Amino acid sequence: MSGFDADAVFTVAAHDPPAAISPDSPSESEKLLLDFLLQYRLGGEFIYRDKLRANLLLKQCILEVDLRHVSLYNDELAHAIQNAPADKLPLFENAATKAARSILFPLVGVGQTDAEKKKNAEDAADAIPGIQISLRSGLNMLQFRDLTANTMNKLVRIPGIVISASVLSSRATRLHLQCRSCRSTKDIYPAGGMGGVGGGSDRGLPRQCDAPTVDGQKKDCPLDPYLIIHSKSTFADQQTLKLQEAPDMVPVGELPRHMLLSVDRFLTGKVVPGSRVVATGIYSTFQSAKNKNAGAAALRQPYLRVAHLELSSGPTSSGSNPFGLQFRPEEEEEFAAMARSEGFYERFSKSVAPSIYGSLDIKKAIACLLFGGSKKILPDGMRLRGDINVLLLGDPGTAKSQLLKFVEKVAPIAVYTSGKGSSAAGLTASVQRDTISREFYLEGGAMVLADTGVVCIDEFDKMRDEDRVAIHEAMEQQTISIAKAGITTVLNSRTSVLAAANPVFGRYDEGRSPGENIDFQTTILSRFDMIFIVKDEHNEQRDRMIARHVMNMQMNRPEENADQTAGELSLDVMKRYIAYCKSKCAPRLSAEAQEMLSSHFVSLRKQVQQVERDNDERSSIPITIRQLEAIIRISESLAKMTLSTGVQNHHVEEAIRLFKFSTMDAVSAGSADGLTRGELNDEMVKIERELRRRLPVGWSTSYQSLVREFVTQQGYSSHALERTLFVLEKSEVIRFTGQVSPRRLCVCCD
């Protein structure tokens, strides 16, 4: 003990608070950090000492430290770590390594000779080469656009989506060199140490041998004499990630920004493309090869040297909650009370896009899509998806795109894209080449980025066929298989698809079959659980209601039925409730529900067979086993919406009603007045032939007399007569005249 006089009385302040020591010099900082790791406790528990011991027993040389605990222990030290993390983090790791060695080898140096001390110290160094510190921080999250020169070399915390991850590479932490001439050895530690992008030392290996001379004779070693002995060098894993802003953080009209992330040692291999993460690290710069070749020495590219990764979603996220949201106990009680409340299903459905009038069944279907069913893994390893896909097909001006935009806002994870602006690679994944290493790597597209969420695809009919085929696998198997540029892999895309499209002729033509109106292949239509045909019907009373609703919305006036709007849920509550239900609840079918579903599916198949026989053509919208699974998924999502563990009969009844209103209506679309589409077309052909035969050029008659003759006397349906006259007028064979009533006179002009 240097500094103390022998045989003299001395005192030591045993209870000085740690804050009395200021972390000015590195040695003082390291001492403070060592004391913190060994002495900090919550209650009677030494949390970091115990955590370090547990990790060492598991052969994990990593310790996660909460910066808030450091702040409670010594506020000045926590500020020093935040402001100069590059200096303090190596000291923290040295302190953790010393603490780990003292825990595993507590008796080193006690009653031992110098040789034993040295040998035990070497054993400790071999057993624990170094401890990695992972810094969990409670800092406010910064967006990519907030990272400026003022935040350089400071600890920052940024959220985003990992869009690509490089292969693991090994970075040298200690190089063992040997001179090829005189065989002398030396160790060097490359600049940059742990982490970093763009390489360590610019100088590389020493150019000249600096071994000591023997007997005063200078060694005649050539230039660049050193060879690297790899077996005696030490290396650490390193990986480069590419982080992109989440789509909901990007301002309108701007491209999403990217950030390079450098992770090392135990933080590597934690994430895959599509994972949503919050990265804490040191905001640093490196000189890219592009700038180096251009000679711009002062121009440097920013990157983040990661100190901690919080996984908020993705295939490797831990815990049952895939959205990274934490729920307070009182919030869980509130959600449970909401789920038990009377008429909650109707209330939630009306809260979906409340500014859009009507379309309640479509809103109920979207509510089912947001919650989704239960995914299942069968004993043979086969996976059955739980996500629901919905197609809205209809006339322009029926608020399809507005519904899609609302879903993008309310879903915990969502990506919005438009058909014409989306390519197959943009939806699935693209292969890029790294500019530095020249290696190929994958970049995830919209379906990968929206993993465990919703993809909203507008203008679905404007997509090229080859691009639409690319999402076949993603919609049913929920994976994306890539085999290009020597990369063969499978990415997860566990997403629901909400698509909006227009019919072939712009508007839905009642006189044509659904197959003629819907220009999609059967293969993609069978993958949609619900297909809604949204028609812009002419109904005076309905038009008045819509016009009044639109006027109220434009003038920001309260609705007349204010009691209904009072029960609407806010966006934030809906988003958190959806995340809560998806993470906590996975309903299963009851025995009664199974029996009801089986019998209904058989009757649905019979109904479709009858429609096909009547129309004398195969239905373009198939009813297959996929549709039975669709009804099961809808039933499960209805049960999940009210946090029920089992699917009951009333859930199945509502699911079948929704399915009949959507897909089954689309199958039988075009029939009217109790007639099938085939019979209606036959009647129209007969009426047209009779009209052409009987009406000479220039002859006119009243509409009422035509109705009396064709409908009353000959027994044709009024709908067939209406359709025939409409078609003839469009083809300019006849013309309606008379201002009082447009249907009053019919003049043949050809």
Side-chain angles (χ1 to χ4, degrees):
M1 295 280 285
S2 60
F4 293 119
D5 294 329
D7 302 326
V9 178
F10 59 90
T11 60
V12 175
H15 299 287
D16 273 0
I21 306 174
S22 174
D24 291 334
S25 69
S27 58
E28 287 172 355
S29 298
E30 191 173 324
K31 184 178 184 307
L32 266 177
L33 291 165
L34 182 60
D35 287 345
F36 163 75
L37 291 173
L38 294 177
Q39 306 300 331
Y40 184 78
R41 62 184 178 189
L42 286 176
E45 185 185 359
F46 291 90
I47 53 172
Y48 290 112
R49 200 163 71 186
D50 297 345
K51 198 188 288 186
L52 190 56
R53 182 184 290 111
N55 286 359
L56 289 171
L57 291 174
L58 294 172
K59 297 287 190 286
Q60 292 180 345
C61 296
I62 186 169
L63 179 65
E64 185 178 299
V65 176
D66 196 329
L67 206 56
R68 285 171 288 195
H69 292 165
V70 183
S71 181
L72 289 171
Y73 182 78
N74 186 321
D75 200 28
E76 199 174 338
L77 185 62
H79 278 297
I81 293 173
Q82 285 182 11
N83 292 325
D87 298 333
K88 301 299 178 189
L89 211 53
L91 300 176
F92 212 158
E93 296 191 345
N94 289 344
T97 306
K98 286 180 182 176
R101 288 172 184 170
S102 69
I103 288 170
L104 277 194
F105 300 92
L107 300 177
V108 172
V110 179
Q112 294 176 339
T113 64
D114 289 344
E116 288 174 335
K117 283 182 190 177
K118 187 178 178 184
K119 184 179 182 307
N120 287 334
E122 287 174 356
D123 291 344
D126 290 340
I128 308 166
I131 298 290
Q132 183 178 4
I133 293 289
S134 174
L135 274 180
R136 176 183 282 274
S137 169
L139 294 167
N140 290 332
M141 284 193 280
L142 291 174
Q143 302 305 326
F144 280 59
R145 291 154 207 277
D146 300 332
L147 295 175
T148 59
N150 297 331
T151 53
M152 197 64 70
N153 299 322
K154 289 187 172 60
L155 203 65
V156 295
R157 191 161 170 256
I158 55 172
I161 303 175
V162 177
I163 59 168
S164 68
S166 70
V167 294
L168 289 188
S169 56
S170 298
R171 168 171 291 237
T173 54
R174 179 176 63 83
L175 284 176
H176 187 78
L177 307 179
Q178 185 178 44
C179 176
R180 71 181 83 182
S181 176
C182 65
R183 300 294 176 184
S184 62
T185 60
K186 68 177 290 188
D187 288 346
I188 65 166
Y189 297 87
M194 281 296 143
V197 178
S201 169
D202 291 334
R203 297 189 308 274
L205 301 183
R207 301 292 309 271
Q208 293 180 339
C209 177
D210 55 0
T213 58
V214 181
D215 299 332
Q217 294 182 356
K218 187 180 178 185
K219 292 193 174 181
D220 190 20
C221 296
L223 271 178
D224 298 326
Y226 284 115
L227 297 172
I228 299 174
I229 311 298
H230 289 276
S231 58
K232 295 184 179 179
S233 303
T234 55
F235 298 89
D237 289 330
Q238 193 191 349
Q239 188 180 23
T240 305
L241 309 176
K242 197 172 183 184
L243 197 70
Q244 178 181 296
E245 279 181 294
D248 49 346
M249 299 174 191
V250 183
V252 177
E254 293 200 26
L255 288 172
R257 297 196 179 175
H258 300 86
M259 170 73 66
L260 278 177
L261 266 57
S262 172
V263 292
D264 61 328
R265 293 174 286 176
F266 289 93
L267 293 174
T268 56
K270 296 285 187 192
V271 293
V272 296
S275 304
R276 294 195 171 219
V277 299
V278 179
T280 307
I282 308 166
Y283 188 48
S284 310
T285 61
F286 74 99
Q287 188 161 20
S288 63
K290 186 169 62 179
N291 289 339
K292 196 180 290 184
N293 296 337
L299 195 61
R300 301 179 73 82
Q301 191 170 336
Y303 78 100
L304 194 75
R305 213 175 111 194
V306 176
H308 185 261
L309 273 179
E310 296 170 56
L311 275 149
S312 52
S313 81
T316 54
S317 62
S318 57
S320 57
N321 182 5
F323 306 106
L325 297 174
Q326 301 298 322
F327 302 104
R328 301 184 305 279
E330 58 269 22
E331 197 175 20
E332 295 193 17
E333 289 175 15
E334 183 190 335
F335 287 157
M338 273 169 53
R340 290 193 302 269
S341 63
E342 189 70 29
F344 178 71
Y345 167 51
E346 298 282 339
R347 182 185 169 198
F348 191 94
S349 303
K350 285 175 181 170
S351 301
V352 173
S355 59
I356 295 170
Y357 179 81
S359 306
L360 188 58
D361 280 320
I362 295 176
K363 292 181 179 181
K364 287 179 177 176
I366 287 174
C368 292
L369 172 136
L370 287 168
F371 286 92
S374 307
K375 60 176 177 286
K376 305 168 190 74
I377 301 175
L378 304 184
D380 61 352
M382 184 182 290
R383 294 169 180 268
L384 299 179
R385 68 179 164 99
D387 296 296
I388 295 171
N389 301 324
V390 175
L391 173 65
L392 306 177
L393 183 112
D395 299 340
T398 47
K400 301 187 297 296
S401 299
Q402 293 290 352
L403 283 167
L404 264 64
K405 280 287 185 187
F406 180 85
V407 170
E408 185 205 6
K409 288 193 196 82
V410 80
I413 295 174
V415 173
Y416 179 92
T417 179
S418 182
K420 200 66 179 172
S422 304
S423 64
L427 280 170
T428 55
S430 59
V431 175
Q432 305 286 342
R433 178 170 244 166
D434 189 4
T435 53
I436 299 169
S437 65
R438 307 299 295 161
E439 286 185 353
F440 289 106
Y441 64 90
L442 277 178
E443 261 191 24
M447 304 284 281
V448 177
L449 299 187
D451 193 19
T452 69
V454 183
V455 176
C456 303
I457 307 176
D458 205 355
E459 307 289 350
F460 195 58
D461 54 312
K462 309 296 188 298
M463 290 175 69
R464 294 192 299 273
D465 285 341
E466 56 267 26
D467 296 340
R468 207 181 294 131
V469 167
I471 64 172
H472 276 194
E473 182 194 355
M475 286 180 70
E476 190 61 42
Q477 278 72 40
Q478 300 213 303
T479 56
I480 290 168
S481 303
I482 298 289
K484 51 176 92 168
I487 295 175
T488 308
T489 186
V490 176
L491 300 172
N492 280 318
S493 64
R494 298 162 297 184
T495 63
S496 302
V497 175
L498 176 60
N502 295 116
V504 179
F505 310 103
R507 294 187 62 146
Y508 197 87
D509 189 347
E510 293 281 2
R512 299 175 188 268
S513 67
E516 292 172 300
N517 277 293
I518 305 170
D519 189 24
F520 297 140
Q521 294 177 353
T522 309
T523 48
I524 197 137
L525 288 176
S526 71
R527 286 168 164 79
F528 284 105
D529 300 338
M530 287 183 272
I531 299 170
F532 285 91
I533 292 178
V534 193
K535 297 174 190 168
D536 184 14
E537 293 171 347
H538 298 283
N539 180 331
E540 187 177 349
Q541 185 181 357
R542 183 170 172 272
D543 291 348
R544 286 184 189 279
M545 296 286 287
I546 292 175
R548 191 180 302 123
H549 177 81
V550 170
M551 287 297 111
N552 288 337
M553 295 300 298
Q554 293 281 346
M555 300 175 71
N556 204 13
R557 286 196 305 224
E559 291 286 324
E560 293 168 357
N561 49 353
D563 55 331
Q564 289 187 2
T565 57
E568 285 171 5
L569 302 170
S570 69
L571 263 177
D572 190 51
V573 170
M574 289 172 76
K575 182 181 280 193
R576 292 184 70 82
Y577 184 71
I578 291 165
Y580 179 77
C581 291
K582 289 185 87 165
S583 59
K584 299 287 183 187
C585 190
R588 288 289 185 263
L589 288 171
S590 61
E592 300 86 8
Q594 288 177 4
E595 186 60 38
M596 185 188 287
L597 273 168
S598 303
S599 56
H600 265 90
F601 176 69
V602 174
S603 66
L604 288 174
R605 289 276 287 187
K606 279 186 183 172
Q607 191 178 331
V608 172
Q609 187 182 4
Q610 184 64 40
V611 169
E612 289 180 344
R613 194 181 296 120
D614 291 342
N615 294 335
D616 197 21
E617 64 179 8
R618 289 298 298 268
S619 171
S620 59
I621 301 172
I623 302 298
T624 62
I625 291 297
R626 277 182 179 157
Q627 276 55 51
L628 173 61
E629 291 179 347
I631 303 173
I632 294 170
R633 279 192 288 272
I634 299 163
S635 309
E636 289 169 348
S637 73
L638 290 166
K640 188 185 286 188
M641 206 179 295
T642 53
L643 290 174
S644 305
T645 53
V647 176
Q648 304 305 321
N649 285 4
H650 63 278
H651 295 136
V652 175
E653 286 167 5
E654 174 62 15
I656 291 168
R657 189 194 71 79
L658 272 177
F659 184 78
K660 283 186 173 177
F661 179 81
S662 56
T663 309
M664 290 306 294
D665 271 13
V667 169
S668 56
S671 56
D673 290 350
L675 297 173
T676 65
R677 202 166 47 251
E679 292 169 347
L680 187 65
N681 286 339
D682 288 345
E683 282 198 5
M684 286 173 62
V685 169
K686 289 176 183 174
I687 292 172
E688 183 180 351
R689 191 186 303 126
E690 190 78 12
L691 277 172
R692 284 178 180 274
R693 187 174 62 81
R694 294 187 53 188
L695 294 181
V697 176
W699 190 75
S700 65
T701 183
S702 69
Y703 175 70
Q704 284 78 8
S705 64
L706 286 177
V707 170
R708 192 165 51 248
E709 184 174 343
F710 283 97
V711 178
T712 311
Q713 295 175 6
Q714 298 189 31
Y716 290 114
S717 69
S718 58
H719 186 75
L721 178 63
E722 282 272 349
R723 290 290 308 163
T724 309
L725 292 176
F726 176 74
V727 170
L728 288 175
E729 187 197 12
K730 287 291 182 190
S731 56
E732 297 185 353
V733 174
I734 62 172
R735 185 173 67 246
F736 289 109
T737 60
Q739 297 301 315
V740 179
S741 170
R743 293 283 185 203
R744 190 171 172 203
L745 294 174
C746 177
V747 178
C748 185
C749 56
D750 187 8

